[in-house]
Amino acid sequence: MKAVVCTSYGSPDVLQIREIEKPEPGDKEVLIKVFATTAHFGDTRIRRADPFLVRLVYGAFTPKKDLVLGLEVSGVVESIGNAVTNFKEGDEVFAFTGFGLGGNAEYRCLPAGVGTPHRKGLVAPRPENVTHEESAAVPAGGLTALKNLQKAGIREGQRILINGASGSLGTYAIQLAKHYGAEVTAVCSTRNLDLVKSLGADKVIDYSKEEFTQTHDEYDVVYDAVMKSSASLCRGILKQRGVYLNNTRISGPEHADLLLLKDLVEQGRLKPVLDGTYSIDDIADAHRYVDSGRKRGNVALTVSA
Ligand SMILES: NC(=O)c1ccc[n+]([C@@H]2O[C@H](COP(=O)([O-])OP(=O)(O)OC[C@H]3O[C@@H](n4cnc5c(N)ncnc54)[C@H](OP(=O)(O)O)[C@@H]3O)[C@@H](O)[C@H]2O)c1
């Protein structure tokens, strides 16, 4: 099968399209034929070996043999293992591929069980009211934003400020915070003001005109989705028991979380924002764009027609 192999650590040119062996599902696994996947910030960090921890997990000097990136997929179940009862051939699914990655390929085997730890991957029926490119872009960013907001215990009537509101995490966080009934202030650049308003932001701060840590408002939650500030810098805008979030120390997502995202997409309450779709053959260009740090929402990759 065709896959994107990370042959070394470095620039996007280390990514090569190669033929590797098509996987066979184990007893408790499904084999997913991948229609769409993404070029994710997490993939680019592994490719760059940033942070250093990447080398401990994926190979110290060079990536382990046939390391395939890709944290999320959308596609169809092509076959199932003998012990699988909750999926059948032909089911349309989306999935978080876990820390074994492997989504940037024509096929990916993942555990079907609902009790599987997220690091091994999570599979669920996909929201069928959106394209495969859109549903592929939900699991990684959607789950991370959801677990952050759940960690803060976000609830109706609270005020949340989201920095980096135009990125993958930010666009999901705006919509999820609105789902929980919070009042959202979104921080972004001038060019993204309309985008964040369209996703439900009640107030906006243009960071090119105003420093959000110096506003006179106070928030129950400050979520720095792009990790450009710090808890101490945000202390002045947090209420006394306010919570600062920056994607660290969040609990692992579960199947129920992926199902919640599916339901919200189907209800039209969560819209995956795509900033372009590339063919998987153009993976290096997709990574270059993600590396720029300017993407709005997510970058999808089309694998099969
Ligand atoms: N996505 C995930 O699932 C995930 C999971 C865990 C951790 N993380 C980490 O979380 C961070 C954000 O990830 P992401 O995927 O959401 O990033 P992203 O989509 O690449 O974020 C880029 C967006 O942030 C905006 N931005 C850039 N600099 C900014 C600044 N100083 N203030 C406010 N907005 C700014 C950019 O627009 P402008 O340049 O026009 O402002 C762009 O729209 C990364 O460090 C990533 O490693 C991500």
Side-chain angles (χ1 to χ4, degrees), residues 40-41 45 140-141 144 163-164 166-169 189 191-192 207 225-228 247 293-297:
H40 188 271
F41 208 102
R45 295 194 74 171
T144 304
N163 185 37
S166 53
S168 174
L169 296 179
S189 62
R191 71 187 183 114
N192 290 320
Y207 72 73
V226 277
M227 305 171 76
K228 302 274 187 191
N247 303 321
R294 309 298 310 273
K295 77 175 159 67
R296 295 145 52 104

Short mmCIF file of all heavy atoms in Angstrom, two decimals, residues 40-41 45 140-141 144 163-164 166-169 189 191-192 207 225-228 247 293-297, ligand 1:
data_model
loop_
_atom_site.label_atom_id
_atom_site.label_comp_id
_atom_site.label_asym_id
_atom_site.label_seq_id
_atom_site.Cartn_x
_atom_site.Cartn_y
_atom_site.Cartn_z
N HIS A 40 -0.99 17.31 10.52
CA HIS A 40 -1.32 17.86 11.83
C HIS A 40 -0.07 18.48 12.46
O HIS A 40 1.05 18.07 12.16
CB HIS A 40 -1.83 16.69 12.69
CG HIS A 40 -2.39 17.09 14.00
ND1 HIS A 40 -1.63 17.21 15.13
CD2 HIS A 40 -3.66 17.37 14.37
CE1 HIS A 40 -2.39 17.56 16.13
NE2 HIS A 40 -3.63 17.67 15.70
N PHE A 41 -0.31 19.45 13.34
CA PHE A 41 0.83 20.07 14.04
C PHE A 41 1.69 19.00 14.73
O PHE A 41 2.92 19.06 14.73
CB PHE A 41 0.31 21.08 15.08
CG PHE A 41 1.27 22.20 15.35
CD1 PHE A 41 1.08 23.45 14.81
CD2 PHE A 41 2.39 21.99 16.15
CE1 PHE A 41 1.97 24.49 15.05
CE2 PHE A 41 3.28 23.02 16.41
CZ PHE A 41 3.07 24.27 15.85
N ARG A 45 5.76 18.10 14.38
CA ARG A 45 6.68 18.09 15.53
C ARG A 45 7.46 16.77 15.58
O ARG A 45 8.64 16.77 15.92
CB ARG A 45 5.90 18.33 16.82
CG ARG A 45 5.29 19.72 16.83
CD ARG A 45 4.80 20.12 18.19
NE ARG A 45 5.93 20.44 19.03
CZ ARG A 45 5.81 20.99 20.23
NH1 ARG A 45 4.62 21.29 20.70
NH2 ARG A 45 6.86 21.26 20.96
N ALA A 140 -8.10 14.53 16.39
CA ALA A 140 -6.96 15.00 17.20
C ALA A 140 -7.24 16.37 17.82
O ALA A 140 -7.17 16.55 19.05
CB ALA A 140 -5.68 15.02 16.37
N GLY A 141 -7.56 17.35 16.98
CA GLY A 141 -7.80 18.70 17.50
C GLY A 141 -9.06 18.77 18.35
O GLY A 141 -9.08 19.42 19.41
N THR A 144 -8.48 17.10 21.78
CA THR A 144 -7.58 17.89 22.64
C THR A 144 -8.30 19.11 23.20
O THR A 144 -8.21 19.42 24.39
CB THR A 144 -6.33 18.33 21.86
OG1 THR A 144 -5.70 17.17 21.32
CG2 THR A 144 -5.34 19.07 22.74
N ASN A 163 -6.91 32.03 23.31
CA ASN A 163 -5.84 32.62 22.49
C ASN A 163 -5.46 31.60 21.40
O ASN A 163 -5.42 30.40 21.66
CB ASN A 163 -4.62 32.95 23.34
CG ASN A 163 -3.55 33.66 22.53
OD1 ASN A 163 -3.88 34.48 21.66
ND2 ASN A 163 -2.29 33.36 22.78
N GLY A 164 -5.18 32.13 20.19
CA GLY A 164 -4.92 31.21 19.07
C GLY A 164 -6.24 30.64 18.56
O GLY A 164 -6.31 29.49 18.12
N SER A 166 -7.91 30.97 15.97
CA SER A 166 -8.07 30.63 14.54
C SER A 166 -7.37 29.33 14.15
O SER A 166 -7.51 28.86 13.02
CB SER A 166 -7.50 31.76 13.68
OG SER A 166 -6.16 32.04 14.08
N GLY A 167 -6.65 28.70 15.09
CA GLY A 167 -5.95 27.45 14.77
C GLY A 167 -6.85 26.24 14.91
O GLY A 167 -8.06 26.37 15.13
N SER A 168 -6.25 25.08 14.81
CA SER A 168 -7.03 23.85 14.93
C SER A 168 -7.71 23.77 16.29
O SER A 168 -8.94 23.63 16.39
CB SER A 168 -6.11 22.64 14.72
OG SER A 168 -6.82 21.45 14.97
N LEU A 169 -6.93 23.87 17.35
CA LEU A 169 -7.51 23.77 18.70
C LEU A 169 -8.45 24.93 18.97
O LEU A 169 -9.52 24.74 19.54
CB LEU A 169 -6.39 23.76 19.74
CG LEU A 169 -5.45 22.56 19.68
CD1 LEU A 169 -4.37 22.67 20.75
CD2 LEU A 169 -6.24 21.27 19.88
N SER A 189 -5.55 37.22 14.87
CA SER A 189 -5.07 38.36 14.08
C SER A 189 -6.22 38.97 13.29
O SER A 189 -7.30 38.38 13.18
CB SER A 189 -3.97 37.90 13.11
OG SER A 189 -4.51 36.95 12.21
N ARG A 191 -6.86 39.25 10.17
CA ARG A 191 -7.41 38.49 9.03
C ARG A 191 -8.36 37.37 9.47
O ARG A 191 -9.13 36.86 8.66
CB ARG A 191 -6.28 37.91 8.18
CG ARG A 191 -5.53 36.77 8.84
CD ARG A 191 -4.31 36.31 8.08
NE ARG A 191 -3.71 35.17 8.77
CZ ARG A 191 -3.66 33.94 8.30
NH1 ARG A 191 -4.14 33.67 7.11
NH2 ARG A 191 -3.12 32.98 9.02
N ASN A 192 -8.31 37.00 10.76
CA ASN A 192 -9.15 35.89 11.21
C ASN A 192 -10.34 36.31 12.07
O ASN A 192 -11.05 35.45 12.60
CB ASN A 192 -8.29 34.88 11.98
CG ASN A 192 -7.33 34.16 11.06
OD1 ASN A 192 -7.70 33.79 9.95
ND2 ASN A 192 -6.09 33.97 11.49
N TYR A 207 -4.95 40.59 18.23
CA TYR A 207 -3.69 40.67 18.99
C TYR A 207 -2.69 41.63 18.37
O TYR A 207 -1.71 42.02 19.01
CB TYR A 207 -3.08 39.28 19.22
CG TYR A 207 -2.46 38.58 18.02
CD1 TYR A 207 -1.25 39.00 17.46
CD2 TYR A 207 -3.06 37.46 17.46
CE1 TYR A 207 -0.68 38.34 16.39
CE2 TYR A 207 -2.50 36.79 16.39
CZ TYR A 207 -1.30 37.24 15.86
OH TYR A 207 -0.75 36.58 14.79
N ALA A 225 -4.50 28.22 23.46
CA ALA A 225 -4.44 27.05 22.57
C ALA A 225 -3.15 27.02 21.76
O ALA A 225 -2.69 25.94 21.40
CB ALA A 225 -5.67 27.04 21.65
N VAL A 226 -2.56 28.19 21.45
CA VAL A 226 -1.31 28.19 20.67
C VAL A 226 -0.06 28.27 21.56
O VAL A 226 1.06 28.34 21.05
CB VAL A 226 -1.21 29.32 19.62
CG1 VAL A 226 -1.91 28.96 18.35
CG2 VAL A 226 -1.65 30.64 20.17
N MET A 227 -0.26 28.23 22.84
CA MET A 227 0.84 28.13 23.80
C MET A 227 1.88 29.25 23.61
O MET A 227 3.07 29.00 23.46
CB MET A 227 1.48 26.75 23.68
CG MET A 227 0.46 25.64 23.85
SD MET A 227 1.02 23.98 23.49
CE MET A 227 1.99 23.60 24.93
N LYS A 228 1.38 30.50 23.56
CA LYS A 228 2.28 31.65 23.35
C LYS A 228 2.42 32.49 24.62
O LYS A 228 3.10 33.51 24.61
CB LYS A 228 1.75 32.55 22.23
CG LYS A 228 1.58 31.87 20.89
CD LYS A 228 2.87 31.86 20.09
CE LYS A 228 2.62 31.32 18.70
NZ LYS A 228 3.83 31.05 17.96
N ASN A 247 -2.89 23.01 27.02
CA ASN A 247 -2.73 21.69 26.39
C ASN A 247 -1.86 20.73 27.18
O ASN A 247 -1.56 19.64 26.69
CB ASN A 247 -2.12 21.79 24.97
CG ASN A 247 -2.94 22.66 24.06
OD1 ASN A 247 -4.16 22.62 24.11
ND2 ASN A 247 -2.28 23.48 23.25
N GLY A 293 2.84 27.98 10.74
CA GLY A 293 2.15 28.44 11.95
C GLY A 293 1.00 29.38 11.65
O GLY A 293 0.46 30.02 12.56
N ARG A 294 0.61 29.49 10.38
CA ARG A 294 -0.44 30.44 9.99
C ARG A 294 -1.75 29.77 9.59
O ARG A 294 -2.69 30.43 9.19
CB ARG A 294 0.03 31.30 8.81
CG ARG A 294 1.37 31.97 8.96
CD ARG A 294 1.43 32.97 10.10
NE ARG A 294 0.36 33.94 10.16
CZ ARG A 294 0.36 35.12 9.53
NH1 ARG A 294 1.35 35.45 8.75
NH2 ARG A 294 -0.65 35.95 9.68
N LYS A 295 -1.82 28.45 9.66
CA LYS A 295 -3.03 27.79 9.13
C LYS A 295 -4.26 28.17 9.95
O LYS A 295 -4.16 28.46 11.13
CB LYS A 295 -2.85 26.29 9.06
CG LYS A 295 -2.97 25.54 10.38
CD LYS A 295 -2.91 24.04 10.11
CE LYS A 295 -2.51 23.28 11.37
NZ LYS A 295 -3.48 23.29 12.43
N ARG A 296 -5.39 28.17 9.27
CA ARG A 296 -6.67 28.44 9.92
C ARG A 296 -7.37 27.10 10.05
O ARG A 296 -7.69 26.48 9.05
CB ARG A 296 -7.50 29.39 9.07
CG ARG A 296 -6.88 30.77 8.92
CD ARG A 296 -7.13 31.40 7.56
NE ARG A 296 -8.52 31.42 7.16
CZ ARG A 296 -9.31 32.50 7.18
NH1 ARG A 296 -8.82 33.65 7.59
NH2 ARG A 296 -10.54 32.44 6.78
N GLY A 297 -7.58 26.63 11.25
CA GLY A 297 -8.20 25.32 11.43
C GLY A 297 -7.22 24.22 11.05
O GLY A 297 -6.11 24.16 11.58
N1 LIG B 1 -3.86 20.46 17.36
C1 LIG B 1 -3.76 19.54 18.34
O1 LIG B 1 -4.48 18.54 18.38
C2 LIG B 1 -2.71 19.73 19.44
C3 LIG B 1 -2.65 18.80 20.48
C4 LIG B 1 -1.76 19.01 21.53
C5 LIG B 1 -0.92 20.12 21.50
N2 LIG B 1 -0.96 20.98 20.44
C6 LIG B 1 -0.08 22.16 20.44
O2 LIG B 1 -0.91 23.30 20.52
C7 LIG B 1 -0.36 24.35 19.72
C8 LIG B 1 -1.42 24.82 18.76
O3 LIG B 1 -1.78 23.78 17.87
P1 LIG B 1 -2.78 24.06 16.66
O4 LIG B 1 -2.79 22.83 15.85
O5 LIG B 1 -4.07 24.63 17.14
O6 LIG B 1 -1.94 25.21 15.92
P2 LIG B 1 -2.20 25.87 14.51
O7 LIG B 1 -3.52 25.43 13.96
O8 LIG B 1 -1.00 25.67 13.67
O9 LIG B 1 -2.29 27.42 14.94
C9 LIG B 1 -2.06 28.38 14.00
C10 LIG B 1 -3.03 29.53 14.20
O10 LIG B 1 -2.63 30.32 15.31
C11 LIG B 1 -2.62 31.70 14.93
N3 LIG B 1 -1.54 32.36 15.67
C12 LIG B 1 -0.22 32.34 15.36
N4 LIG B 1 0.47 33.07 16.27
C13 LIG B 1 -0.44 33.56 17.16
C14 LIG B 1 -0.33 34.37 18.33
N5 LIG B 1 0.83 34.87 18.76
N6 LIG B 1 -1.47 34.65 19.00
C15 LIG B 1 -2.66 34.19 18.59
N7 LIG B 1 -2.82 33.42 17.48
C16 LIG B 1 -1.72 33.10 16.78
C17 LIG B 1 -2.39 31.69 13.42
O11 LIG B 1 -3.00 32.76 12.75
P3 LIG B 1 -2.21 34.17 12.61
O12 LIG B 1 -0.78 33.81 12.32
O13 LIG B 1 -2.89 34.92 11.50
O14 LIG B 1 -2.40 34.79 13.93
C18 LIG B 1 -3.08 30.38 12.99
O15 LIG B 1 -4.44 30.60 12.62
C19 LIG B 1 0.89 23.78 19.07
O16 LIG B 1 2.00 24.18 19.84
C20 LIG B 1 0.71 22.30 19.15
O17 LIG B 1 1.92 21.59 19.23
C21 LIG B 1 -1.85 20.82 19.43
#
